[in-house]
Amino acid sequence: MTHRLIGSSAHRGVVLAVGLVAAAGVVTSGQQPQEGQAFRFRTGVELINVTATVTDANGRFVSGLRKEDFRVYQDDQLQAITHFNSERVPVSLGIILDTSGSMDAEKMTAARRALDHFLLDLLGPDDEVFLYRFDSAPELVHGWTTDRRRVSDALHRIQPRGGTALYDALAEAVPLAQAGRHRKKALLVISDGNDTSSRTAIIELKEQIRETEVLVYAIGIDAQAPTEHLQTQRPWGGIVRSMMQGPVPLPFPRPGGTRRPPMRPRPPITGPRFPPGRPPAIPPVRTPRSPSARVTADNRVNVAALRDITDDSGGRTEVIRTAGDLHPATASIADELSKQYFIGYASTGVKDGKWHAIRVEVRDGQYHVRARRGFVATP
């Protein structure tokens, strides 16, 4: 029997395992599925496809690895790798852009510039894309196409407005991404705020993503993000983080090689600083802010929710502080999509409708591997 996968409801004999890879199927022994073809299934056997991203301790992508360098475990059981590819393959990529009212002129301008570079300069000629926007509701701006100039033109006509229906937009875009014609499928989400308008619950969205073959990336713009939430590819990032993780030792060196003498301890205060029962009158400090600049816990980027959405798929969430950082963030994701490893293994007798954990390792324990954490074995 031949099947075509269209979203989670049609996810029947092919299950994506780790990472972003496109169509998977149960193939007869020795057969390799061809691009754009349907897949032949054999009872009791599934080809689990995995896309793995390997980085070193500095976050740089590791190339040149071979099949023998990888170990794949399903439910802690070592699996025999039957398919392996380290070359770049075409990708079916959906872009989901937050166009709510908080994406003011500066953010929208930066998003257009970053996505223009992403679409026109960084993707391959065979890659196909679609574009979703979302404010109070999601809207498909442009369907699948390899003419990325048309997507760019549509992007420049978008104006910010309304609320933030992030989860609804993803719920609509995931099935469309799953229907992409390439084996490798991905989504890229750009947003500056928390979801305020969706009817879709995050747990439903997470289950939907788990049942598909789509790798999800997210870029969150959050000016108040703490340092530990920020991810960066800059070589000086580790130095900055180490400086911010602890106080600078005192006393400071003084000119001429001498040091400032230690401060003498002050004598203890023996009496009250103000009359009993009357605390000092300290006027509150108020900084005037415009309504558009006001940031609350309700409309800031929900980093935990984004990572809950992306990490199981094998993608990642990157949090940036300014819209100007969109350019390097999107370029980093495009670079990652071009430097991933495709791995496949045969899984037998798994049709129980349960979540099965997958773990990918490399022989060099100093490398970090990011890939899909498992799959739902839909009966």
Side-chain angles (χ1 to χ4, degrees):
M1 179 180 294
T2 302
H3 293 272
R4 170 67 171 167
L5 296 180
I6 308 291
S8 59
S9 62
H11 188 70
R12 295 229 174 190
V14 175
V15 181
L16 168 65
V18 177
L20 160 69
V21 351
V26 181
V27 296
T28 57
S29 177
Q31 285 185 318
Q32 278 277 23
Q34 300 299 316
E35 192 76 51
Q37 288 186 349
F39 298 91
R40 299 183 181 279
F41 296 89
R42 189 174 60 196
T43 303
V45 179
E46 296 181 69
L47 177 66
I48 306 301
N49 291 330
V50 175
T51 293
T53 303
V54 184
T55 55
D56 63 15
N58 295 316
R60 294 173 298 204
F61 298 115
V62 177
S63 60
L65 297 179
R66 301 170 301 172
K67 181 175 73 172
E68 294 76 17
D69 294 317
F70 287 87
R71 296 288 184 271
V72 179
Y73 298 85
Q74 178 179 308
D75 298 328
D76 292 326
Q77 299 297 314
L78 182 63
Q79 306 294 312
I81 298 175
T82 58
H83 298 74
F84 181 83
N85 185 12
S86 60
E87 302 297 324
R88 188 194 190 280
V89 296
V91 60
S92 295
L93 174 71
I95 297 173
I96 308 175
L97 179 62
D98 183 348
T99 59
S100 61
S102 60
M103 290 286 290
D104 56 23
E106 178 185 358
K107 293 178 184 177
M108 187 56 63
T109 298
R112 291 190 184 108
R113 289 175 178 171
L115 288 176
D116 273 348
H117 180 57
F118 185 84
L119 290 165
L120 303 177
D121 300 326
L122 301 181
L123 293 181
D126 296 328
D127 297 337
E128 62 175 358
V129 297
F130 68 77
L131 174 63
Y132 253 94
R133 64 172 289 177
F134 66 91
D135 39 64
S136 299
E139 176 188 348
L140 179 61
V141 178
H142 202 293
W144 286 120
T145 182
T146 56
D147 187 351
R148 293 183 292 279
R149 175 61 66 181
R150 295 175 61 184
V151 178
S152 173
D153 292 343
L155 176 65
H156 282 261
R157 293 192 293 268
I158 296 175
Q159 297 299 324
R161 67 191 183 198
T164 307
L166 170 61
Y167 303 156
D168 284 352
L170 272 164
E172 287 193 15
V174 166
L176 184 57
Q178 177 72 10
R181 66 187 178 91
H182 296 307
R183 292 190 309 170
K184 194 171 191 177
K185 310 172 191 293
L187 284 173
L188 169 61
V189 183
I190 298 176
S191 178
D192 76 330
N194 194 10
D195 192 293
T196 61
S197 306
S198 289
R199 298 180 179 180
T200 305
I202 188 171
I203 189 170
E204 298 173 359
L205 178 61
K206 186 174 180 178
E207 289 301 318
Q208 181 185 14
I209 294 172
R210 280 181 161 191
E211 295 177 1
T212 66
E213 304 170 349
V214 179
L215 179 66
V216 183
Y217 291 92
I219 300 176
I221 309 171
D222 187 354
Q224 295 186 346
T227 305
E228 61 269 20
H229 281 170
L230 300 178
Q231 299 181 9
T232 177
Q233 299 295 329
R234 300 181 181 92
W236 42 263
I239 300 174
V240 174
R241 284 194 296 272
S242 64
M243 293 174 63
M244 300 181 68
Q245 287 173 353
V248 178
L250 295 176
F252 292 107
R254 303 185 70 189
T258 63
R259 292 182 177 270
R260 188 183 303 275
M263 297 180 63
R264 295 180 179 178
R266 295 182 179 181
I269 298 175
T270 58
R273 297 186 180 183
F274 47 87
R278 294 181 59 189
I282 302 176
V285 178
R286 295 185 176 91
T287 303
R289 303 181 71 184
S290 64
S292 61
R294 185 163 50 89
V295 178
T296 68
D298 292 330
N299 58 26
R300 282 185 55 193
V301 170
N302 189 334
V303 178
L306 288 180
R307 288 180 174 165
D308 209 29
I309 292 169
T310 62
D311 290 3
D312 276 352
S313 75
R316 61 183 169 90
T317 294
E318 182 161 350
V319 181
I320 58 178
R321 279 187 170 155
T322 69
D325 291 328
L326 277 172
H327 196 284
T330 53
S332 173
I333 292 173
D335 192 31
E336 178 171 323
L337 289 171
S338 68
K339 296 179 178 178
Q340 294 169 320
Y341 295 91
F342 170 80
I343 303 169
Y345 69 92
S347 178
T348 60
V350 179
K351 292 283 188 175
D352 53 11
K354 297 180 180 179
W355 172 260
H356 293 270
I358 295 179
R359 185 174 78 255
V360 181
E361 299 176 352
V362 291
R363 288 184 174 180
D364 190 331
Q366 297 181 351
Y367 293 154
H368 173 71
V369 183
R370 178 162 35 81
R372 179 170 286 274
R373 294 175 176 175
F375 65 96
V376 175
T378 305

